[in-house]
Amino acid sequence: MSDWPEGRNGGQGERYGRGSAAPRPESARAMPHVRRRPAPPQSPPHIPPQQGQGYEDGPGYDSGYNTGQVYGGGQRGGGHGGGGRGGDSGYVQPRAAPNWGRRIKVGVLSLVVVVLAVSVGTYFWADGKLKREVDLSKVIDRPGEGDGTNYLVVGSDSREGMTAEDKKKLHTGSAEGKRTDSMMILHDGSNGPTLISLPRDSNVEIPSFVGSESGKKFEGTGRTTKLNAAYAEDGPELLVRTVEFNTGLRIDHYVEIGFGGFANILDAIGGVEMDIPKAFKDKNSGADFQAGKQTLNGEQSLAFVRTRYAFAGSDLDRTKNQQKFLAALASQTATPSTILNPFKLYPTMGAGLDTLIVDKDMSLWSLGNMFFAMKGVTGGEGTSMNIPLTGGSVNGNLVWDKDKVKQLVEQLKNDEKVTVKGS
């Protein structure tokens, strides 16, 4: 007898498969395979091979067949081998649904942390740039404090840090030292901000004072001179002392910026739009403006606020232009497009803080309040004016109207609405 299983010899038995005329398809024949561990209890019953099909029993083989997974065709997702990975079931553990609430909370918390870190870093960076050089504790015989906060804002003709080319371009000249080109009192109170220009040619009395460098006391002699002479004589401390003595208003903070810094700020923010009602020209300041709306860069802005000889009112007209310009500058700078744009904010802050000189007690918070109060002057919340004048003069200097000045100062001290009209 042949050792071949039925169907593999030359013609014995019923034949199936390729070349056979039998109706049984080849795919229905169970295939032998390597011995496996016994099937788990839940598997379908073992089907023995038909006689003559499969290999004879021998080492490494048994007569068992697979559990119906012919040619690897098992079920997915719930195979016979039980749940879990492995085996021939092809089962895949489903992922848990994402916890969107938790993800949003983590995202918001991360954003808050980043914003706080940037804000704190920016604060210390900016705070380190402030030049706190003015010591108001050296000012003697000061008026009593009132309501609100009073800033003395000074524009000086300091040429510190400017090259010869800068001085020529900005028409500043090359004078040594520095003088005040503009002086303003900004009162920030509950009735809105009030901006008061003090003409540099105002006739004022120089009171007794203590030298800012020498510490020596100089007694007052009743001497009168231009207001800007006080600054030239002994700097910011004597200027504050003189303003307080002649007005009776206590100055809480001092802020000064020079020519170069002023121009740099304007260039950093991309200029300021101004509406100039009438064309004017001035060879001394370099001003040459046509009437109408236009954007002024740093050089043009400096020429605009310095021009005096082109106007009939000379210094009075200049102070009005300075107020108008500073209010426009604050209004156009304190906007989301500047504050929220780091490529605009940091250059602007850097240009301004590098050249600002403030008092030793000035904080960034106070400086920010001053800036927004300046913006409020043109926002319909405040008032801008020149200090009241009599219309007369002494030695060519402008004379203040003492009665109106006294009334104005009382209103500022009590943080009342300003009703006094300026010049």
Side-chain angles (χ1 to χ4, degrees):
M1 177 182 288
S2 172
D3 293 332
W4 291 93
E6 182 180 2
R8 295 203 181 199
N9 57 15
Q12 294 181 9
E14 188 178 0
R15 299 179 61 191
Y16 298 97
R18 190 177 291 120
S20 171
R24 185 178 180 182
E26 183 179 34
S27 62
R29 177 164 51 90
M31 300 296 293
H33 60 82
V34 179
R35 178 188 298 272
R36 298 185 179 181
R37 283 183 285 182
Q42 65 268 34
S43 299
H46 179 71
I47 303 175
Q50 298 179 8
Q51 184 179 2
Q53 292 183 340
Y55 295 103
E56 296 179 353
D57 292 344
Y61 294 92
D62 66 9
S63 59
Y65 289 82
N66 63 23
T67 57
Q69 299 181 23
V70 180
Y71 296 115
Q75 293 183 352
R76 281 189 176 271
H80 301 300
R85 274 205 234 159
D88 296 328
S89 66
Y91 177 79
V92 178
Q93 180 72 27
R95 290 186 179 180
N99 187 340
W100 288 109
R102 183 175 181 277
R103 291 187 179 187
I104 291 173
K105 289 179 181 178
V106 171
V108 171
L109 181 60
S110 299
L111 180 61
V112 170
V113 170
V114 170
V115 171
L116 285 175
V118 171
S119 300
V120 171
T122 299
Y123 179 89
F124 284 104
W125 167 78
D127 188 73
K129 281 183 169 290
L130 278 180
K131 297 180 180 179
R132 297 181 172 92
E133 300 177 0
V134 180
D135 189 355
L136 295 184
S137 67
K138 295 179 179 179
V139 180
I140 62 173
D141 300 332
R142 308 193 68 185
E145 294 183 359
D147 295 328
T149 305
N150 301 311
Y151 301 85
L152 182 60
V153 184
V154 174
S156 76
D157 64 0
S158 171
R159 297 153 178 84
E160 182 180 353
M162 296 175 63
T163 65
E165 184 179 350
D166 291 335
K167 295 174 183 177
K168 182 178 180 180
K169 177 183 177 183
L170 299 176
H171 300 271
T172 64
S174 299
E176 295 299 325
K178 59 181 181 179
R179 287 156 293 279
T180 52
D181 228 41
S182 62
M183 289 158 285
M184 303 178 188
I185 294 174
L186 175 64
H187 174 80
D188 184 21
S190 58
N191 278 290
T194 303
L195 185 63
I196 307 163
S197 286
L198 310 176
R200 56 180 279 176
D201 293 339
S202 298
N203 192 70
V204 294
E205 181 181 342
I206 302 297
S208 57
F209 67 96
V210 174
S212 59
E213 296 295 333
S214 65
K216 179 182 177 181
K217 185 172 182 178
F218 297 88
E219 295 294 341
T221 61
R223 171 172 59 100
T224 61
T225 185
K226 293 181 179 181
L227 179 60
N228 68 338
Y231 182 95
E233 187 172 331
D234 198 54
E237 288 84 1
L238 179 55
L239 178 61
V240 170
R241 167 70 175 133
T242 302
V243 169
E244 289 186 342
F245 177 82
N246 286 270
T247 62
L249 184 68
R250 186 184 181 95
I251 299 300
D252 299 298
H253 292 293
Y254 177 92
V255 181
E256 176 188 328
I257 187 168
F259 282 164
F262 183 82
N264 290 340
I265 291 174
L266 271 299
D267 288 336
I269 66 171
V272 170
E273 185 179 76
M274 294 290 297
D275 188 1
I276 300 177
K278 185 178 180 181
F280 65 89
K281 199 171 184 178
D282 179 21
K283 65 178 182 179
N284 294 289
S285 66
D288 187 1
F289 297 105
Q290 300 299 315
K293 287 187 177 181
Q294 51 206 284
T295 299
L296 310 186
N297 61 23
E299 178 183 350
Q300 294 169 324
S301 299
L302 187 57
F304 181 82
V305 299
R306 293 184 61 220
T307 298
R308 61 186 299 201
Y309 297 109
F311 307 125
S314 188
D315 203 36
L316 288 179
D317 286 339
R318 177 170 71 168
T319 56
K320 292 176 182 178
N321 278 342
Q322 289 171 346
Q323 290 179 345
K324 182 179 179 180
F325 180 86
L326 289 176
L329 171 61
S331 179
Q332 295 174 40
T333 303
T335 60
S337 63
T338 298
I339 296 174
L340 300 179
N341 183 353
F343 298 102
K344 203 170 184 180
L345 175 64
Y346 286 99
T348 302
M349 291 180 66
L353 296 174
D354 279 341
T355 53
L356 277 182
I357 296 175
V358 298
D359 64 273
K360 293 184 180 296
D361 295 326
M362 174 72 81
S363 66
L364 282 178
W365 180 260
S366 296
L367 189 62
N369 285 341
M370 184 204 79
F371 190 74
F372 281 97
M374 189 79 73
K375 178 182 178 181
V377 170
T378 55
E381 305 169 5
T383 303
S384 62
M385 58 190 291
N386 279 320
I387 198 162
L389 302 171
T390 62
S393 64
V394 174
N395 298 324
N397 300 332
L398 302 173
V399 179
W400 293 358
D401 186 325
K402 292 185 178 181
D403 291 337
K404 286 187 176 181
V405 170
K406 182 178 180 180
Q407 183 183 356
L408 171 62
V409 169
E410 285 300 313
Q411 291 177 345
L412 295 178
K413 278 186 174 182
N414 297 325
D415 208 11
E416 300 171 352
K417 187 173 181 59
V418 173
T419 59
V420 177
K421 301 299 180 182
S423 300

